[in-house]
Coordinates of all heavy atoms in Angstrom, one line a residue:
M77 N -35.8 -7.1 -26.7 CA -34.9 -6.2 -26.0 C -33.6 -6.3 -26.6 O -33.1 -7.3 -27.1 CB -34.8 -6.6 -24.6 CG -36.0 -6.3 -23.7 SD -35.5 -6.8 -22.0 CE -36.9 -6.1 -21.2
G78 N -32.8 -5.1 -26.5 CA -31.5 -5.1 -27.0 C -30.5 -5.8 -26.0 O -30.9 -6.3 -25.0
R79 N -29.3 -5.7 -26.3 CA -28.3 -6.4 -25.5 C -28.2 -5.8 -24.1 O -28.0 -6.6 -23.1 CB -26.9 -6.1 -26.1 CG -26.6 -7.0 -27.2 CD -25.2 -6.8 -27.6 NE -24.4 -8.0 -27.4 CZ -23.2 -8.3 -27.8 NH1 -22.6 -7.3 -28.5 NH2 -22.7 -9.4 -27.7
R80 N -28.5 -4.5 -23.9 CA -28.4 -3.9 -22.6 C -29.6 -4.3 -21.8 O -29.5 -4.3 -20.5 CB -28.3 -2.4 -22.7 CG -27.0 -2.0 -23.2 CD -27.0 -0.5 -23.3 NE -25.7 0.0 -23.9 CZ -24.9 0.8 -23.3 NH1 -25.2 1.3 -22.2 NH2 -23.8 1.1 -23.9
G81 N -30.7 -4.6 -22.3 CA -31.9 -4.9 -21.6 C -31.9 -6.3 -20.9 O -32.7 -6.5 -20.0
R82 N -31.1 -7.2 -21.4 CA -31.1 -8.6 -20.9 C -30.3 -8.6 -19.6 O -29.2 -8.1 -19.6 CB -30.6 -9.6 -21.9 CG -31.6 -10.0 -22.9 CD -31.1 -11.1 -23.8 NE -30.3 -10.4 -24.8 CZ -29.3 -11.0 -25.5 NH1 -29.0 -12.2 -25.3 NH2 -28.7 -10.4 -26.4
L83 N -30.8 -9.4 -18.6 CA -29.9 -9.6 -17.5 C -28.9 -10.7 -17.8 O -29.3 -11.7 -18.4 CB -30.8 -10.1 -16.3 CG -31.8 -9.0 -15.7 CD1 -32.6 -9.6 -14.6 CD2 -31.0 -7.8 -15.2
Q84 N -27.7 -10.5 -17.5 CA -26.7 -11.5 -17.7 C -26.3 -12.2 -16.4 O -26.2 -11.5 -15.4 CB -25.5 -10.8 -18.3 CG -25.7 -10.2 -19.7 CD -24.5 -9.6 -20.3 OE1 -23.4 -9.7 -19.7 NE2 -24.6 -9.0 -21.4
Q85 N -26.1 -13.5 -16.5 CA -25.7 -14.2 -15.4 C -24.2 -14.1 -15.2 O -23.5 -14.1 -16.2 CB -26.0 -15.7 -15.6 CG -27.5 -16.0 -15.7 CD -28.2 -15.7 -14.3 OE1 -27.6 -15.9 -13.3 NE2 -29.4 -15.2 -14.4
P86 N -23.7 -13.9 -14.0 CA -22.3 -13.8 -13.8 C -21.6 -15.1 -14.2 O -22.2 -16.2 -14.1 CB -22.1 -13.5 -12.3 CG -23.4 -13.9 -11.7 CD -24.5 -13.8 -12.8
A87 N -20.4 -15.0 -14.7 CA -19.7 -16.2 -15.0 C -19.4 -17.0 -13.8 O -19.2 -16.5 -12.7 CB -18.4 -15.8 -15.7
P88 N -19.4 -18.3 -13.9 CA -19.1 -19.1 -12.7 C -17.7 -18.9 -12.2 O -16.8 -18.7 -13.0 CB -19.3 -20.6 -13.2 CG -19.2 -20.5 -14.7 CD -19.6 -19.1 -15.1
A89 N -17.5 -19.0 -10.9 CA -16.2 -18.8 -10.4 C -15.3 -19.9 -10.8 O -15.7 -21.1 -10.7 CB -16.3 -18.7 -8.8
P90 N -14.1 -19.6 -11.2 CA -13.2 -20.7 -11.6 C -12.8 -21.5 -10.3 O -12.7 -21.0 -9.2 CB -12.0 -20.0 -12.1 CG -12.0 -18.6 -11.6 CD -13.5 -18.3 -11.3
A91 N -12.5 -22.8 -10.5 CA -12.0 -23.6 -9.4 C -10.7 -23.1 -8.9 O -9.9 -22.5 -9.7 CB -11.9 -25.0 -9.9
R92 N -10.4 -23.2 -7.7 CA -9.2 -22.6 -7.1 C -8.3 -23.8 -6.7 O -8.8 -24.8 -6.2 CB -9.5 -21.7 -5.9 CG -10.2 -20.5 -6.3 CD -10.3 -19.6 -5.1 NE -10.8 -18.3 -5.5 CZ -10.4 -17.2 -5.0 NH1 -9.6 -17.2 -4.0 NH2 -10.9 -16.0 -5.4
Q93 N -7.0 -23.5 -6.8 CA -6.0 -24.5 -6.4 C -5.5 -24.1 -5.0 O -5.1 -23.0 -4.9 CB -4.9 -24.6 -7.4 CG -5.2 -25.0 -8.8 CD -5.7 -26.4 -8.9 OE1 -5.1 -27.3 -8.1 NE2 -6.6 -26.7 -9.7
P94 N -5.6 -25.0 -4.0 CA -5.1 -24.6 -2.7 C -3.6 -24.4 -2.7 O -2.9 -25.1 -3.5 CB -5.6 -25.8 -1.8 CG -5.8 -26.9 -2.7 CD -6.2 -26.3 -4.1
L95 N -3.1 -23.6 -1.9 CA -1.7 -23.3 -1.7 C -1.2 -24.2 -0.6 O -1.8 -24.5 0.4 CB -1.4 -21.9 -1.3 CG -1.8 -20.8 -2.3 CD1 -1.5 -19.4 -1.7 CD2 -1.1 -21.0 -3.6
D96 N 0.1 -24.6 -0.7 CA 0.7 -25.3 0.4 C 1.0 -24.3 1.5 O 0.9 -23.1 1.3 CB 2.0 -26.0 0.0 CG 3.1 -25.1 -0.5 OD1 3.5 -24.2 0.3 OD2 3.6 -25.3 -1.6
E97 N 1.2 -24.8 2.7 CA 1.3 -23.9 3.8 C 2.4 -22.8 3.7 O 2.3 -21.6 4.0 CB 1.6 -24.7 5.1 CG 1.4 -23.8 6.4 CD 0.1 -23.1 6.5 OE1 -0.9 -23.6 6.1 OE2 0.1 -21.9 7.0
H98 N 3.6 -23.2 3.1 CA 4.7 -22.2 2.9 C 4.2 -21.1 1.9 O 4.5 -19.9 2.2 CB 5.9 -22.9 2.4 CG 7.0 -22.0 2.1 ND1 7.8 -21.4 3.1 CD2 7.6 -21.6 0.9 CE1 8.7 -20.6 2.5 NE2 8.6 -20.7 1.2
A99 N 3.6 -21.5 0.8 CA 3.1 -20.5 -0.2 C 2.1 -19.6 0.4 O 2.1 -18.4 0.2 CB 2.6 -21.2 -1.4
A100 N 1.2 -20.2 1.2 CA 0.1 -19.4 1.8 C 0.7 -18.4 2.8 O 0.3 -17.2 2.9 CB -0.9 -20.3 2.6
E101 N 1.7 -18.8 3.6 CA 2.3 -17.9 4.6 C 3.1 -16.8 3.8 O 3.1 -15.7 4.3 CB 3.3 -18.7 5.5 CG 3.8 -17.9 6.6 CD 2.8 -17.2 7.5 OE1 1.7 -17.8 7.8 OE2 3.0 -16.1 7.9
S102 N 3.7 -17.1 2.7 CA 4.4 -16.1 1.9 C 3.5 -15.1 1.4 O 3.7 -13.9 1.4 CB 5.2 -16.8 0.8 OG 6.2 -17.6 1.3
A103 N 2.3 -15.6 0.9 CA 1.3 -14.6 0.4 C 0.8 -13.7 1.5 O 0.6 -12.5 1.3 CB 0.2 -15.4 -0.3
R104 N 0.6 -14.3 2.7 CA 0.1 -13.5 3.8 C 1.1 -12.4 4.2 O 0.8 -11.3 4.5 CB -0.2 -14.3 5.0 CG -1.5 -15.1 4.9 CD -1.9 -15.8 6.2 NE -2.7 -16.9 5.9 CZ -2.3 -18.2 5.7 NH1 -1.1 -18.6 5.9 NH2 -3.2 -19.1 5.4
A105 N 2.4 -12.8 4.2 CA 3.5 -11.9 4.6 C 3.6 -10.8 3.6 O 3.8 -9.6 3.9 CB 4.8 -12.6 4.7
Y106 N 3.5 -11.1 2.3 CA 3.5 -10.1 1.2 C 2.4 -9.2 1.3 O 2.5 -7.9 1.2 CB 3.5 -10.8 -0.1 CG 3.7 -9.9 -1.3 CD1 4.8 -9.1 -1.5 CD2 2.7 -9.8 -2.3 CE1 5.0 -8.3 -2.6 CE2 2.8 -8.9 -3.4 CZ 3.9 -8.2 -3.5 OH 4.1 -7.3 -4.6
A107 N 1.2 -9.7 1.6 CA 0.0 -8.8 1.7 C 0.2 -7.9 2.9 O -0.2 -6.7 2.9 CB -1.2 -9.7 1.9
S108 N 0.7 -8.4 4.0 CA 1.0 -7.6 5.2 C 2.0 -6.5 4.9 O 1.8 -5.3 5.3 CB 1.5 -8.4 6.3 OG 1.8 -7.7 7.5
D109 N 3.0 -6.8 4.1 CA 4.0 -5.8 3.8 C 3.4 -4.7 2.9 O 3.7 -3.5 3.0 CB 5.2 -6.4 3.0 CG 6.1 -7.2 4.0 OD1 6.0 -7.1 5.2 OD2 6.9 -8.0 3.4
L110 N 2.5 -5.1 2.0 CA 1.8 -4.1 1.1 C 0.8 -3.3 1.9 O 0.7 -2.1 1.6 CB 1.1 -4.8 0.0 CG 1.9 -5.5 -1.1 CD1 1.0 -6.2 -2.1 CD2 2.8 -4.4 -1.8
R111 N 0.2 -3.9 2.9 CA -0.8 -3.2 3.6 C -0.3 -2.2 4.6 O -0.9 -1.1 4.9 CB -1.7 -4.2 4.4 CG -2.8 -3.6 5.2 CD -3.7 -4.7 5.9 NE -4.3 -5.6 4.9 CZ -4.1 -6.9 4.8 NH1 -3.4 -7.5 5.7 NH2 -4.8 -7.6 3.9
A112 N 0.9 -2.4 5.1 CA 1.5 -1.6 6.2 C 1.5 -0.1 5.9 O 1.0 0.8 6.6 CB 2.8 -2.1 6.6
P113 N 2.1 0.3 4.7 CA 2.1 1.8 4.4 C 0.7 2.4 4.2 O 0.5 3.5 4.6 CB 3.0 1.9 3.2 CG 3.2 0.6 2.6 CD 2.8 -0.4 3.7
F114 N -0.2 1.6 3.7 CA -1.6 2.1 3.5 C -2.3 2.3 4.9 O -3.1 3.2 5.1 CB -2.3 1.2 2.6 CG -1.8 1.3 1.2 CD1 -1.0 0.3 0.7 CD2 -2.1 2.4 0.4 CE1 -0.5 0.4 -0.6 CE2 -1.5 2.5 -0.9 CZ -0.7 1.5 -1.4
D115 N -2.0 1.4 5.8 CA -2.5 1.5 7.2 C -2.0 2.8 7.8 O -2.8 3.5 8.5 CB -2.2 0.4 8.1 CG -2.9 -0.9 7.7 OD1 -4.0 -0.8 7.0 OD2 -2.5 -2.0 8.2
V116 N -0.8 3.2 7.6 CA -0.2 4.4 8.1 C -0.9 5.6 7.5 O -1.4 6.5 8.2 CB 1.3 4.5 7.9 CG1 1.8 5.9 8.3 CG2 2.0 3.4 8.7
L117 N -1.1 5.6 6.2 CA -1.8 6.6 5.5 C -3.2 6.8 6.0 O -3.7 7.9 6.2 CB -1.7 6.4 4.0 CG -2.5 7.4 3.1 CD1 -2.0 8.8 3.3 CD2 -2.5 7.0 1.7
A118 N -3.9 5.7 6.1 CA -5.3 5.7 6.6 C -5.4 6.3 8.0 O -6.3 7.1 8.2 CB -5.9 4.3 6.6
S119 N -4.4 6.0 8.8 CA -4.5 6.5 10.2 C -4.2 8.0 10.2 O -4.8 8.8 10.9 CB -3.5 5.8 11.1 OG -2.2 6.1 10.8
V120 N -3.3 8.5 9.3 CA -3.1 9.9 9.2 C -4.3 10.6 8.7 O -4.8 11.7 9.2 CB -1.9 10.2 8.2 CG1 -1.8 11.7 7.9 CG2 -0.6 9.7 8.9
L121 N -5.0 10.1 7.7 CA -6.2 10.7 7.1 C -7.3 10.7 8.2 O -8.1 11.6 8.3 CB -6.6 9.9 5.9 CG -5.7 10.1 4.7 CD1 -6.2 9.2 3.5 CD2 -5.6 11.6 4.3
E122 N -7.4 9.6 9.0 CA -8.5 9.5 10.0 C -8.2 10.6 11.1 O -9.1 11.3 11.5 CB -8.5 8.2 10.7 CG -9.1 7.1 9.8 CD -8.9 5.7 10.3 OE1 -8.0 5.5 11.2 OE2 -9.5 4.8 9.7
D123 N -6.9 10.8 11.4 CA -6.5 11.9 12.4 C -6.9 13.2 11.8 O -7.4 14.1 12.5 CB -5.1 11.8 12.7 CG -4.6 12.9 13.7 OD1 -5.1 12.8 14.8 OD2 -3.9 13.8 13.3
V124 N -6.6 13.5 10.5 CA -6.9 14.8 9.9 C -8.5 15.0 9.9 O -8.9 16.1 10.3 CB -6.4 14.9 8.5 CG1 -6.9 16.1 7.8 CG2 -4.8 15.0 8.6
A125 N -9.2 13.9 9.6 CA -10.7 14.0 9.6 C -11.2 14.3 11.0 O -12.1 15.1 11.1 CB -11.3 12.7 9.1
A126 N -10.6 13.7 12.0 CA -11.1 13.9 13.4 C -10.6 15.2 14.0 O -11.4 15.8 14.8 CB -10.6 12.7 14.3
N127 N -9.4 15.6 13.7 CA -8.8 16.8 14.4 C -8.5 18.0 13.5 O -8.0 19.0 14.0 CB -7.5 16.3 15.1 CG -7.8 15.2 16.1 OD1 -8.7 15.3 16.9 ND2 -7.1 14.1 15.9
G128 N -8.6 17.8 12.2 CA -8.2 18.9 11.3 C -6.8 18.8 10.9 O -6.0 17.9 11.4
Y129 N -6.4 19.7 10.1 CA -5.0 19.7 9.6 C -4.0 20.2 10.7 O -4.4 21.0 11.5 CB -4.8 20.7 8.4 CG -5.4 20.3 7.2 CD1 -6.5 21.0 6.6 CD2 -5.0 19.2 6.5 CE1 -7.1 20.6 5.5 CE2 -5.6 18.8 5.3 CZ -6.6 19.5 4.8 OH -7.2 19.1 3.6
P130 N -2.8 19.6 10.8 CA -1.9 20.1 11.8 C -1.4 21.5 11.4 O -1.4 21.9 10.2 CB -0.7 19.1 11.7 CG -0.9 18.3 10.4 CD -2.3 18.5 10.0
A131 N -0.9 22.2 12.4 CA -0.4 23.6 12.2 C 0.9 23.5 11.3 O 1.7 22.6 11.5 CB -0.1 24.2 13.5
P132 N 1.0 24.4 10.4 CA 2.2 24.3 9.5 C 3.5 24.4 10.4 O 4.5 23.8 10.0 CB 2.1 25.5 8.6 CG 0.7 25.9 8.6 CD 0.1 25.4 10.0
E133 N 3.5 25.1 11.5 CA 4.7 25.2 12.3 C 5.1 23.9 12.9 O 6.3 23.7 13.3 CB 4.5 26.2 13.5 CG 4.1 27.6 13.0 CD 2.6 27.7 12.7 OE1 1.8 27.1 13.4 OE2 2.3 28.4 11.7
S134 N 4.2 22.9 13.0 CA 4.5 21.6 13.7 C 5.1 20.6 12.7 O 5.5 19.5 13.1 CB 3.3 21.1 14.4 OG 2.3 20.7 13.4
G135 N 5.1 21.0 11.4 CA 5.5 20.0 10.4 C 7.0 20.1 10.1 O 7.8 20.9 10.7
V136 N 7.4 19.3 9.1 CA 8.8 19.3 8.7 C 8.8 19.7 7.2 O 8.0 19.2 6.4 CB 9.4 17.9 8.8 CG1 10.8 17.9 8.2 CG2 9.5 17.5 10.2
L137 N 9.6 20.6 6.8 CA 9.7 21.0 5.4 C 10.1 19.8 4.6 O 10.9 19.0 5.0 CB 10.7 22.2 5.2 CG 10.4 23.5 5.8 CD1 11.6 24.4 5.7 CD2 9.2 24.1 5.2
W138 N 9.5 19.7 3.4 CA 9.8 18.5 2.6 C 11.2 18.5 2.2 O 11.8 17.4 2.0 CB 8.8 18.5 1.3 CG 9.1 19.4 0.2 CD1 8.7 20.7 0.1 CD2 10.1 19.2 -0.8 NE1 9.2 21.3 -1.0 CE2 10.1 20.4 -1.6 CE3 10.9 18.2 -1.2 CZ2 10.8 20.5 -2.8 CZ3 11.6 18.3 -2.4 CH2 11.6 19.5 -3.1
E139 N 11.8 19.6 2.0 CA 13.3 19.6 1.6 C 14.1 19.0 2.7 O 15.0 18.2 2.5 CB 13.8 21.0 1.3 CG 13.2 21.7 0.1 CD 11.9 22.5 0.4 OE1 11.4 22.4 1.6 OE2 11.5 23.3 -0.4
D140 N 13.8 19.3 4.0 CA 14.5 18.8 5.1 C 14.3 17.3 5.2 O 15.2 16.5 5.5 CB 14.1 19.4 6.4 CG 14.5 20.9 6.5 OD1 15.4 21.3 5.7 OD2 13.9 21.7 7.3
A141 N 13.0 16.8 5.0 CA 12.7 15.4 5.1 C 13.5 14.7 3.9 O 14.0 13.6 4.1 CB 11.2 15.2 4.9
R142 N 13.5 15.3 2.8 CA 14.2 14.7 1.6 C 15.6 14.5 1.9 O 16.2 13.5 1.7 CB 13.9 15.5 0.4 CG 14.7 15.0 -0.9 CD 14.9 16.0 -1.9 NE 15.7 17.1 -1.3 CZ 15.6 18.4 -1.8 NH1 14.8 18.7 -2.8 NH2 16.3 19.3 -1.2
D143 N 16.3 15.6 2.4 CA 17.7 15.6 2.7 C 18.1 14.5 3.7 O 19.0 13.8 3.6 CB 18.2 17.0 3.1 CG 18.1 18.0 1.9 OD1 18.0 17.5 0.8 OD2 18.2 19.2 2.2
A144 N 17.2 14.4 4.8 CA 17.5 13.5 5.8 C 17.4 12.0 5.3 O 18.2 11.2 5.6 CB 16.5 13.7 7.0
H145 N 16.4 11.8 4.4 CA 16.2 10.5 3.8 C 17.4 10.2 2.9 O 17.9 9.0 2.9 CB 14.9 10.5 3.0 CG 14.6 9.1 2.4 ND1 14.4 8.0 3.1 CD2 14.6 8.7 1.1 CE1 14.2 7.0 2.3 NE2 14.3 7.4 1.1
L146 N 17.8 11.1 2.1 CA 19.0 10.9 1.2 C 20.2 10.6 2.0 O 21.0 9.7 1.6 CB 19.2 12.1 0.3 CG 18.1 12.2 -0.8 CD1 18.4 13.5 -1.6 CD2 18.0 11.0 -1.7
E147 N 20.4 11.3 3.1 CA 21.6 11.0 4.0 C 21.5 9.6 4.6 O 22.5 8.9 4.6 CB 21.6 12.0 5.1 CG 22.2 13.4 4.7 CD 22.2 14.3 5.9 OE1 22.3 13.9 7.1 OE2 22.1 15.5 5.7
S148 N 20.3 9.2 5.0 CA 20.2 7.8 5.5 C 20.5 6.8 4.4 O 21.0 5.7 4.7 CB 18.8 7.6 6.1 OG 17.8 7.5 5.1
L149 N 20.1 7.0 3.2 CA 20.4 6.1 2.1 C 21.9 6.1 1.8 O 22.4 5.0 1.6 CB 19.6 6.5 0.8 CG 18.1 6.3 0.9 CD1 17.5 6.9 -0.4 CD2 17.7 4.9 1.1
A150 N 22.5 7.2 1.9 CA 23.9 7.3 1.7 C 24.7 6.5 2.7 O 25.8 6.0 2.5 CB 24.4 8.7 1.6
D151 N 24.2 6.5 3.9 CA 24.9 5.8 5.1 C 24.7 4.3 5.0 O 25.5 3.5 5.7 CB 24.3 6.3 6.4 CG 24.7 7.7 6.7 OD1 25.7 8.2 6.0 OD2 24.1 8.4 7.5
E152 N 23.8 3.8 4.2 CA 23.6 2.3 4.1 C 24.7 1.7 3.4 O 25.3 2.2 2.5 CB 22.3 2.0 3.4 CG 21.1 2.4 4.2 CD 19.8 2.0 3.5 OE1 19.8 1.3 2.5 OE2 18.7 2.4 4.0
Q153 N 25.0 0.4 3.7 CA 26.0 -0.4 3.0 C 25.5 -0.8 1.7 O 24.4 -1.2 1.5 CB 26.3 -1.6 3.8 CG 27.0 -1.3 5.2 CD 28.4 -0.7 5.0 OE1 29.1 -1.1 4.1 NE2 28.7 0.3 5.8
P154 N 26.3 -0.6 0.6 CA 25.9 -1.0 -0.7 C 25.8 -2.5 -0.8 O 26.5 -3.2 -0.1 CB 27.0 -0.4 -1.6 CG 28.1 -0.2 -0.8 CD 27.6 0.0 0.6
Y155 N 25.0 -3.0 -1.6 CA 24.9 -4.4 -1.8 C 24.5 -4.7 -3.3 O 24.1 -3.9 -4.0 CB 23.8 -5.1 -0.9 CG 22.4 -4.6 -1.1 CD1 21.6 -5.2 -2.0 CD2 21.9 -3.4 -0.5 CE1 20.3 -4.8 -2.2 CE2 20.6 -3.0 -0.7 CZ 19.8 -3.7 -1.6 OH 18.6 -3.2 -1.8
V156 N 24.9 -5.9 -3.7 CA 24.6 -6.3 -5.1 C 23.4 -7.2 -5.1 O 23.2 -8.1 -4.2 CB 25.8 -7.1 -5.6 CG1 25.5 -7.6 -7.0 CG2 27.0 -6.3 -5.6
A157 N 22.4 -6.9 -6.0 CA 21.2 -7.6 -6.0 C 21.4 -9.0 -6.7 O 22.3 -9.2 -7.5 CB 20.2 -6.8 -6.8

């Protein structure tokens, strides 16, 4: 048989180093921060799937949303990283 015909065994899982409690909590917090916007997106998509698209009249024009967001950024206090 050729290379494609042979079954290959998966590579063994590498040994893992446990994290201390502070590092583990930091990783969980970071994962939560990353997950939050995707949870919002998923809930919007689930709503669209269950109820259909919202009426265009009920929405906000992207230009208005953009301008409001830019205004909110302009109102924030500047800071140095």
Side-chain angles (χ1 to χ4, degrees):
M77 285 186 173
R79 281 184 118 170
R80 291 179 182 238
R82 281 187 275 157
L83 294 176
Q84 294 183 5
Q85 295 295 325
R92 293 184 172 219
Q93 298 291 326
L95 298 175
D96 64 56
E97 190 55 37
H98 178 71
E101 187 57 37
S102 293
R104 285 186 203 100
Y106 183 62
S108 178
D109 288 346
L110 289 175
R111 184 177 293 122
F114 292 103
D115 287 345
V116 171
L117 175 61
S119 68
V120 169
L121 293 175
E122 288 168 347
D123 179 69
V124 168
N127 303 307
Y129 290 113
E133 302 81 36
S134 68
V136 175
L137 294 175
W138 75 268
E139 293 94 344
D140 295 339
R142 177 201 59 206
D143 292 345
H145 181 68
L146 290 175
E147 282 180 29
S148 72
L149 291 176
D151 291 340
E152 290 181 9
Q153 294 294 321
Y155 62 93
V156 177

